[in-house]
Amino acid sequence: MDAQSRGRADEIDPADQWVLNPRTGNYELRLEQSAPQAPPSQRQAPRGATRRAPHAPPAPASVPPPAVPGPRRPGGTPPGGTGRRGGRSRKGDGGGRRKKALAVTGGTLALLLVGGSLAAYLYYDHLNGNLTVTDVGDAGTKGGFGKGQAINVLVIGTDKRSGAGNEGYGDAGSVGHADTTILFHVSKDRSNATALSIPRDLITSIPACPTKQPDGSTKNIAGERGARFNTSLGQAGRDPGCTMRTVKELTGIQVDHFMMADFNAVKNLSTAVGGVPVCVEKAVDDKDSKLKLSAGEHRLQGEQALAFVRTRHAFGNESDLDRIKTQQQFLSSMMREMKSKQTLTSPQKFFSLAEAATKSLSVDSGIGDINKLTELAGELKDIDLKNITFTTLPVLDNPAEKVKSTVVINPSQADPLMRMIREDVSLTEVEQKEQAAAAAADADAKAKLDALMQGPRAQAKDIRVDVYNGGGPAGSASGTLTWLQNTKGVLKSSNLGNAPAKVDTTQLEYAPNQADQARALAEMMSLPATALKMGTADAAPKTPMKLTLGADFKGAGVSQTAPQQAPEGVQRVEADKAVCAK
């Protein structure tokens, strides 16, 4: 590490070149060239070498220092590949330009949680060289961050004991499992975000997983039923793509990208930010994690910070679920610290965060360079901390165990919570911009539609309806017909297959003299009033209504509208609030 960290004696110290641009309010890194340099493609860095940007404090921004002549830092493109660190060459300027400013986002793990508030100027190829990139195939979308689409990033904390001082935490020979897993969902309109923690001891199904091998081949790892969630990584050679696939099967949410960090990330990031404020209600002396704190407030970094997020015996009932709460409180505090004025105005802290984050971080190839991470940061930077909510997937003790050591999903709470995330409903009190605008525009229309549901309802035996599939899952029309006839007694119903055209939302078309049938069917199907489409002319006797199942169709009798509030009893931590661990 030391040999790789030493820079050349003739390199410019970037920290001496930071100046404040009065037009943008940002710090800029200004470099002077004394002589033309060879194009980046002709300059090779040693294989496997990783350079670090110096951390010296900048000159006062109010008095920009004179430019210091000197050669540019050598670029290079170390070989890449699955699970290896790779750099990217800078575009050369042929020596004709005297100044160059490169914009990137630092604090990359924090970048996800803080949303790019640490954006500044650094070397692209240097930070790229710090990243570890893994090709997870089609486990993620590899897509960009277009407006109008949600972003789902899986943040994985592995318990791999690599690095000095980490051998004492549990199993020193661990291959690294999904010890801490958070699905970070960013809303379509970027007004809010939900961070869903998934317990490591959850019993679930792990799907079959194709993984890329170092030699370029693909190894297919068999799926497993009744497995602990944390074995979706590491066990049998599973990579982060396997964890992404497991989360999709578990929640129904397509994961776009992953970010993975080990124990060193907690130690290095907490140190780089100058310590993370925490509060404990009572004195702590946990011999397993080596956490020893007096009651009250503390600022933790390094080994102490890692001990705080690793402890299972200091708080609550000493379960992993209580450990999750502690981790959420710690991450919330770290986010507040990174958004603080003291951090945002300190280029020295920025350097430290950028180095610590990128050196501790593994990502998928879809966000495997600083350009992509900066693009992601731009999408997250304006989310207010009060609109970021941490929550935990609701679970119950495993009823199959006498000695409780694992958990299973609590469907009564988990199903509506996951549906809220899938359908982009915020867990905070923030009113989403798009929904607020739509609600204001449609208030009168919705009132009229709601009135349609007021009135008599026909008996099931008198309801006539033809069912079409206009965009629902395959088999939706036949499944709905079976459900209507066998469960609800709607015998005068028919499956007419695929609709002539696909529709986004489920629709029930009926005539004015069929209103009693429409109300009864809508109630059975849990259709919203907006699904009712009344014609202008009465229908002839024995004419059926027309039910077209749209892309929003979730199943017969399943509400088409997501809950607007989290189920009662669901655990939550708001990122803007300081909470004492107890």
Side-chain angles (χ1 to χ4, degrees), residues 83-108:
R84 300 180 64 179
R85 297 187 183 275
R88 172 170 296 189
S89 298
R90 297 192 306 272
K91 293 183 180 179
D93 57 16
R97 298 177 184 171
R98 293 173 57 82
K99 297 179 181 179
K100 190 169 187 179
L102 303 177
V104 300
T105 298
T108 312

Side-chain angles (χ1 to χ4, degrees), residues 47-48 77-88 128 131-134 214:
R47 178 180 292 269
T77 310
T82 301
R84 300 180 64 179
R85 297 187 183 275
R88 172 170 296 189
N128 275 336
L131 291 169
T132 297
V133 181
T134 299

Side-chain angles (χ1 to χ4, degrees), residues 62-80:
S62 58
V63 184
V68 180
R72 292 172 60 180
R73 189 177 74 83
T77 310

Side-chain angles (χ1 to χ4, degrees), residues 6 33 43 96 218 220 230 286 328 459 475 502 512 522 554-555 561:
R6 286 194 290 268
Q33 277 188 213
R43 301 196 300 272
T218 298
N220 290 308
N230 69 338
D286 181 3
Q328 292 173 346
Q459 295 184 30
K502 290 187 176 182
K554 302 296 188 300
T561 305

Side-chain angles (χ1 to χ4, degrees), residues 211-294:
T211 61
K212 293 292 182 75
Q213 303 301 301
D215 63 0
S217 63
T218 298
K219 177 183 178 181
N220 290 308
I221 301 175
E224 186 178 356
R225 293 183 179 275
R228 287 184 189 240
F229 175 83
N230 69 338
T231 61
S232 64
L233 176 71
Q235 193 76 17
R238 295 185 177 112
D239 67 5
C242 301
T243 307
M244 296 168 73
R245 296 174 194 275
T246 303
V247 169
K248 180 181 178 181
E249 184 165 301
L250 178 66
T251 66
I253 299 168
Q254 173 63 60
V255 181
D256 299 307
H257 304 284
F258 87 86
M259 290 183 174
M260 184 171 70
D262 57 16
F263 286 176
N264 291 318
V266 177
K267 295 195 292 188
N268 296 339
L269 282 170
S270 60
T271 300
V273 79
V276 176
V278 301
C279 172
V280 295
E281 285 196 355
K282 60 184 180 181
V284 174
D285 188 1
D286 181 3
K287 293 179 174 57
D288 288 342
S289 69
K290 302 178 178 62
L291 179 65
K292 189 171 184 177
L293 299 172
S294 60

Side-chain angles (χ1 to χ4, degrees), residues 85 108 127 130-132 353-361 370:
R85 297 187 183 275
T108 312
L127 291 184
N130 286 348
L131 291 169
T132 297
L353 279 166
E355 289 294 315
T358 54
K359 283 183 180 296
S360 305
L361 197 66
I370 301 300

